[in-house]
Amino acid sequence: MFRVIAATFAATSILTAPAIAADLDKMSDVPVIEVADEGTVYVAARIAGAFSANTAFGLTAPAGGGTFTSITNDYDSIGWGGSLAIGNSYKIMGLNLRAELELGTSSANVKSHTLNALATTLGGANAFGKTTTTYGLANVAIDLKNASRFTPYVTAGAGYGRVDFKNHGVALAAATVGLGPGNVTAMNDSGNGLAWQVGAGMSMDVTETVAVELGYEYFGIENVRLTGALGDNSKVHVRQHKAELGLRLKF
C-alpha cells in the first residue's frame, strides 16, 4: 500500500510541475512598486503668475420691483500666487511617478465690473475688489526621464479649494436702478468647491538633490456658492492659467 501511495505522489508531482512553474512565471509578471534608492522624498516651493478668467455673479437691484443683472468681473492681466508641496518618487511598471500633497494660494485684483443688463462697464477707480483662492491638492506627476539633466513632466491633481470674493463693487456717480450714488459693494462672500489642476513642465537637476521646475498649470475650482450683498445666490466657477517657477529639494 505504501508503495502505491508513493508511486501516485511521484506521478502527480511530475505531472503538475510544469503547471506550478507556469504559475510562478505569471506571478513574476505582477507589477512591482519600486521606490528609488535615493532622492525619493522631496519638498518643493513654487511661485506663480496667475492669469484669471472672468467670473460672474448675480445682483438684483431694488428699483422697479427688482432689476436683475449678472455682473462680469474682469481681472488685472496677472495675479500672483505660491504653494508648498511634499512628495515621494516611485517607479511602477517602468513609469517614473511622483505623488505629492500641495497647499497653495493666489489672488487677483479686479480691473472692471460689467453690469450686463445695463450694458455698462465700470473700471479704474470706479471698480474695486479682489478674488483670493486657497487650496489643497493631491497631485500625481509622470517624469519622462532621459540621459540629460532636463526632465519633462506632466501632472494632474484634485482636492478642495476656497474662494474669497473680497469687497467686489463699483463707485456710482449717480443713483442707478436704486443703487448709489457712491461706493456700492455687490459681493463680499466666500465659498468652497472641488479644486483640480492639469499641467506640464520641465525640471532641471542642479545637483543630485536640487532641481528647478518651470511649468504651466490650468487650475479650477468648481461650483462655489456665494451670496451677494443684496441677498442674491450665485454659483461661481474659477479658472486660472498659471506659469510656475519652483525649487525641489530631494532627501
Side-chain angles (χ1 to χ4, degrees):
M1 184 66 178
F2 176 77
R3 290 178 180 177
V4 173
I5 295 173
T8 303
F9 177 78
T12 303
S13 299
I14 293 172
L15 291 174
T16 59
I20 294 173
D23 290 339
L24 291 175
D25 288 339
K26 290 181 181 178
M27 291 178 63
S28 66
D29 293 335
V30 175
V32 176
I33 299 177
E34 302 176 13
V35 180
D37 292 334
E38 59 180 275
T40 57
V41 178
Y42 66 87
V43 294
R46 299 165 182 140
I47 58 173
F51 304 85
S52 297
N54 292 350
T55 57
F57 54 80
L59 174 70
T60 301
T67 300
F68 177 83
T69 179
S70 61
I71 298 178
T72 299
N73 317 298
D74 185 19
Y75 296 95
D76 287 344
S77 56
I78 187 170
W80 298 99
S83 67
L84 296 173
I86 182 169
N88 206 340
S89 301
Y90 304 89
K91 192 166 186 177
I92 304 176
M93 299 177 64
L95 293 177
N96 296 293
L97 304 179
R98 285 184 288 113
E100 67 175 34
L101 297 176
E102 180 182 25
L103 296 176
T105 185
S106 67
S107 65
N109 292 317
V110 167
K111 180 180 179 182
S112 67
H113 292 296
T114 299
L115 285 66
N116 296 302
L118 306 178
T120 300
T121 297
L122 297 173
N126 295 320
F128 47 86
K130 175 185 288 188
T131 298
T132 301
T133 62
T134 306
Y135 56 88
L137 296 172
N139 299 323
V140 175
I142 301 176
D143 288 326
L144 307 176
K145 291 189 175 182
N146 53 73
S148 73
R149 293 191 300 162
F150 299 90
T151 303
Y153 64 84
V154 292
T155 180
Y160 199 63
R162 184 173 183 83
V163 182
D164 190 0
F165 277 63
K166 296 180 180 179
N167 198 31
H168 280 234
V170 294
L172 298 174
T176 303
V177 292
L179 298 173
N183 290 347
V184 176
T185 296
M187 178 67 71
N188 190 31
D189 195 21
S190 58
N192 308 313
L194 171 69
W196 54 268
Q197 65 87 12
V198 293
M202 181 85 69
S203 66
M204 182 186 74
D205 291 330
V206 180
T207 69
E208 290 185 355
T209 59
V210 178
V212 176
E213 302 175 341
L214 182 62
Y216 162 79
E217 180 181 288
Y218 186 46
F219 173 83
I221 301 180
E222 302 295 323
N223 299 325
V224 180
R225 297 183 180 275
L226 302 172
T227 301
L230 300 180
D232 295 277
N233 295 317
S234 300
K235 186 183 294 185
V236 178
H237 305 281
V238 173
R239 298 286 185 273
Q240 291 178 337
H241 298 275
K242 295 182 181 181
E244 293 186 323
L245 177 63
L247 186 67
R248 193 190 312 160
L249 179 61
K250 309 171 191 178
F251 296 98

